[in-house]
Amino acid sequence: QGQYSPKGLEAIWPVYRDMKPQLPTGLAQAVYTRFLNLPLIDQITALPLVLAFSEFDDSVEAWAKYDDLSFRDLCVKLGVSQRLYQEAFEPMILTGL
C-alpha cells in the first residue's frame, strides 16, 4: 500500500506477514514502512509510540490510561515531530474518518 500527497508517493507499507523476520505489528510498522520524503530524524520520533502501542493490552487499565487522550495529544506528549504528525499520521487519520 502507498500513501500519496499532492507531491506524489510519500510512503509504502508492505504486507507485514510477508516480511522476514516477522515482527509484532507495531514494531513491523516502525521497521518496514518506507517514508520516501520524511527525514530519518523525524521517523525516529515515532519510536515512543511503538512502546505506547505495545503496552496497550485492551485491559480496563489500558483504556483508562488512554481513553481521554487524543492521538494528537499522545504524539505531542511523546515528542513526535510536527512534520511526522502532519505528513504521515494526520493524513492516515483523515483518511479513516
Side-chain angles (χ1 to χ4, degrees):
Q1 290 189 339
Q3 178 178 327
Y4 289 83
S5 78
K7 296 181 276 185
L9 184 61
E10 297 285 345
I12 299 170
W13 286 268
V15 176
Y16 299 115
R17 73 170 176 259
D18 296 341
M19 303 304 292
K20 300 291 183 215
Q22 288 202 337
L23 301 170
T25 301
L27 188 55
Q29 289 172 330
V31 171
Y32 295 130
T33 301
R34 288 192 4 223
F35 290 97
L36 306 178
N37 301 311
L38 197 63
L40 182 59
I41 192 71
D42 289 296
Q43 295 176 48
I44 290 170
T45 67
L47 290 178
L49 283 174
V50 174
L51 298 174
F53 293 157
S54 68
E55 76 178 17
F56 188 85
D57 60 4
D58 201 29
S59 67
V60 173
E61 295 81 14
W63 280 105
K65 182 176 180 180
Y66 290 105
D67 205 24
D68 291 330
L69 188 63
S70 71
F71 181 69
R72 173 76 177 121
D73 290 341
L74 179 63
C75 287
V76 169
K77 179 180 176 181
L78 296 178
V80 171
S81 77
Q82 185 174 7
R83 183 171 177 181
L84 174 61
Y85 183 82
Q86 290 176 336
E87 293 184 16
F89 297 147
E90 190 173 52
M92 284 186 260
I93 293 167
L94 294 174
T95 301
L97 294 177

